[in-house]
Amino acid sequence: MNAHRRQERVGFAMCGSFCTHEAVLNALRNLAEIYENIIPIVSDISSISDTRFGTADILLKNLKEITGNDAIKNMIEAEPIGPKKLLDILVIAPATGNTIAKLAGGITDSSVTMAAKAHLRNNRPVVLAVSSNDGLAAGAKNIGELLVRKNYYFVPFGQDDPIRKPASLVADFSRIADTIDAALNHQQIQPVLTA
């Protein structure tokens, strides 16, 4: 471990794009080498779902091992993020089309959307790492809405399989740390669209 890790408090929320969880956990391991204080948050579905990509118990165990903290798993646990000013920055990775739509529409009905709402009341940055099969279809308007909204910053993203899944978008999860650096300075990392 790096003895001189940064002191900004990072919230790290994982949604249910299960096929990306391994890459996202690798990015989180990298962040844990940089930042001393990381609070994991899991979406309701991620906290209970066993899939072909892994079980909920293993996900929660990995989050605890990487960050040293138990994951926030519900709205009640997430709500104090705002009034207690628990975070300097919130990362949502993977940020599914469902969660992005809720954020764009102001809907707060999950641990992750509550974490974002609570955090945003303090005028602090939220980093989104998109993973959506309909990002260039029904979800495009929601991504566009958040691209222009204050305090939202995107990890660079692009089409992951333009031939077989032409509407699908995914972030370059290896760029999360760089995106956090920029967002802490109120800047959108560029280019935001990857090849």
Side-chain angles (χ1 to χ4, degrees), residues 12-15 17-31 41 59 63 66 91-95 129-131 170-174 176:
F12 196 93
M14 291 185 69
C15 296
S17 181
F18 300 103
C19 62
T20 66
H21 279 195
E22 184 177 345
V24 170
L25 287 171
N26 286 334
L28 179 59
R29 288 182 184 95
N30 179 48
L31 286 182
I41 303 159
L59 175 62
L63 291 171
I66 295 167
V91 177
I92 303 176
V130 175
S131 180
V170 70
D172 179 352
F173 300 115
S174 70
I176 289 175

Side-chain angles (χ1 to χ4, degrees), residues 19-20 23 26 42 54 63-65 88-89 108 114 134 172 179:
C19 62
T20 66
N26 286 334
V42 290
L63 291 171
K64 170 83 176 205
E65 287 177 356
D88 296 302
I89 192 162
T108 306
M114 175 58 82
D134 69 347
D172 179 352
T179 307

